Amino acid sequence: MGCRTQTETLDHELMGHALELAREAGKAGEVPVGAVVVLDGTIVGSGANSPIGSNDPTAHAEIVALRDAAERAGNYRLTGATLYATVEPCLMCFGAAIHARIGRLVYGARDPKVGTTSRIDALTPAGVGLNHEFEVIGGIREREASGLLAGFFRERRDSATAAVAVGT
C-alpha cells in the first residue's frame, strides 16, 4: 500500500466514524449504514439507518446525518461540507445531498442495486441537468463497509432458514 495524501488519510479516519454508526444500526436490527457530515474538519452531523425503528422510510443514515447537520448549522444549505456514507447513496439521499449543496460525497461500498453515483451520468444524455454538482469518491474502507452488509444479510438468511427448519 502506497503513501496516502492528507485528504485520503482524513477520509479513512472519518469513514471510521460512519462505520461505527453502521455497526450501531446493525445491532438495532437496521441495515448497517452510517453517515457523518463534516464541515471545516469537524463532524457536524451524524446518522445511522433507522427506517424500521422510526417507522420512517426516509430515515436513511445520510438523511438523518444531513438533518442533524442542518439543525446544528441553522441552515439547510451545507455548502462545502463532506458527506461520508458507508454505502453508495440511493437516489433519495443523493438528491438530498444536492439540495444541501455539499461539496464532496465519500462512500465506502458500492450498491449495485440502488446506488446512484455510478448512474447519474446516464441522465445527462436524456437532457436532465443537475443544479448542483459535487465531487464523488467511492471505495473508502470498502471491505469493512461491504463486510458489515454481507454479515448482516447472511445472519438474516441464516435466521430465516433456521426458523423454517424448526417449523417443519
Side-chain angles (χ1 to χ4, degrees):
M1 186 167 165
C3 294
R4 291 185 186 152
T5 66
Q6 185 175 2
T7 300
E8 290 170 332
T9 299
L10 187 59
D11 285 347
H12 280 257
E13 178 185 323
L14 291 165
M15 184 61 74
H17 293 282
L19 285 163
E20 186 53 42
L21 291 164
R23 287 182 194 94
E24 290 175 19
K27 288 176 187 170
E30 303 277 356
V31 176
V33 180
V36 294
V37 177
V38 175
L39 189 58
D40 298 325
T42 302
I43 295 175
V44 294
S46 60
N49 245 16
S50 61
I52 298 167
S54 66
N55 296 311
D56 179 355
T58 68
H60 291 194
E62 300 93 329
I63 300 292
V64 174
L66 288 167
R67 286 177 179 159
D68 186 32
E71 180 70 27
R72 290 181 193 205
N75 192 341
Y76 74 102
R77 297 280 197 220
L78 301 168
T79 305
T82 299
L83 172 61
Y84 291 87
T86 58
V87 178
E88 181 183 12
C90 70
L91 185 58
M92 175 184 67
C93 295
F94 192 84
I98 289 170
H99 288 290
R101 302 292 194 265
I102 66 163
R104 293 174 72 226
L105 166 65
V106 179
Y107 69 87
R110 286 195 64 243
D111 185 340
K113 290 185 179 179
V114 298
T116 299
T117 64
S118 57
R119 294 179 176 88
I120 204 72
D121 290 336
L123 297 175
T124 305
V128 175
L130 301 175
N131 62 344
H132 176 71
E133 295 180 7
F134 45 81
E135 179 183 17
V136 176
I137 298 161
I140 303 297
R141 297 180 73 165
E142 183 173 15
R143 283 189 188 157
E144 288 174 77
S146 294
L148 284 174
L149 290 168
F152 176 81
F153 288 113
R154 182 176 45 253
E155 188 174 301
R156 290 188 93 177
R157 281 190 307 275
D158 292 348
S159 294
T161 301
V164 169
V166 168
T168 55

